[in-house]
Amino acid sequence: QRGFQNTGARFRRLIQYDHDFMIATMPTTPKGTAMVTPGRGVKINYISYWWDAMEDPKIQRQRVAVRFDPFDLGTAYAFIGGQWVQSHSDHYQVFQGRSQKELLVASRELRAQNRDRSPQYQVSASKLAQAFQSVNVQESLLVQRLRARESQAVRQQTSLVSPSEGQATEPA
């Protein structure tokens, strides 16, 4: 605010916080591109994403610019035909709303669990989806435990208030 007052507003330099800006600021792969594999789409961080425009033979086996939403692994963007197209994962229902950090934790956990079985263990989208689904059960239980602890804390606070006086009493 003070900057606008001191130097004035520069509306010609104002950047719109819109959909295009969001895509432009999303992270990409280390190369910035991904290969369009026939029938599979583009692969970003172990996960394949598909859009109908990828069926075009001119696009297949070509490298296209890609971006992914770090807070929603179910969605990615590919630059096809001069525009960004939204594509979804094969396991969209599982990856939707999951973050990149969750992906890193899950892939690290998968590798650790299978280190003894095979030193060359390959993480895949289906293995990550299974890991997220098994974590969902544990997560639900943890959420329930947190709710129980919160309600227990409220009950303890309520028991410290004397109903006749309406004031807090000293705990024994």
Side-chain angles (χ1 to χ4, degrees):
Q1 283 290 13
R2 223 171 69 185
F4 282 137
Q5 292 172 351
N6 293 340
T7 61
R10 295 180 181 93
F11 293 110
R12 67 184 175 279
R13 296 187 61 157
L14 187 64
I15 298 172
Q16 293 293 325
Y17 195 77
D18 59 2
H19 187 68
D20 293 333
F21 176 77
M22 293 294 293
I23 293 172
T25 57
M26 286 182 181
T28 185
T29 61
K31 292 181 181 179
T33 61
M35 178 74 70
V36 178
T37 306
R40 305 229 12 120
V42 294
K43 194 172 200 177
I44 304 171
N45 295 330
Y46 313 110
I47 303 171
S48 293
Y49 297 90
W50 178 259
W51 180 252
D52 291 337
M54 295 177 188
E55 289 180 354
D56 184 0
K58 296 175 188 172
I59 303 291
Q60 294 180 356
R61 294 185 179 85
Q62 299 295 317
R63 295 192 80 74
V64 295
V66 292
R67 300 272 192 272
F68 65 93
D69 188 343
F71 302 106
D72 181 7
L73 294 177
T75 305
Y77 296 88
F79 196 72
I80 298 174
Q83 64 182 0
W84 288 103
V85 293
Q86 185 178 26
S87 52
H88 295 287
S89 165
D90 296 340
H91 304 280
Y92 180 75
Q93 295 296 328
V94 177
F95 292 131
Q96 179 186 20
R98 296 286 186 173
S99 72
Q100 183 181 14
K101 288 189 178 190
E102 289 177 86
L103 173 80
L104 294 173
V105 169
S107 61
R108 189 178 318 127
E109 185 66 27
L110 280 173
R111 281 193 200 94
Q113 288 175 359
N114 293 288
R115 189 172 318 181
D116 296 337
R117 294 181 199 157
S118 171
Q120 303 299 325
Y121 182 76
Q122 296 292 318
V123 176
S124 68
S126 60
K127 292 174 186 174
L128 283 168
Q130 289 173 352
F132 279 135
Q133 287 174 335
S134 67
V135 168
N136 278 341
V137 174
Q138 295 172 5
E139 189 176 33
S140 301
L141 293 173
L142 290 174
V143 167
Q144 180 57 38
R145 285 183 194 162
L146 285 173
R147 288 180 183 157
R149 286 182 184 165
E150 288 173 353
S151 64
Q152 183 180 13
V154 168
R155 281 181 290 183
Q156 287 177 344
Q157 289 295 325
T158 307
S159 68
L160 295 177
V161 176
S162 171
S164 62
E165 299 170 359
Q167 297 178 350
T169 59
E170 291 294 320

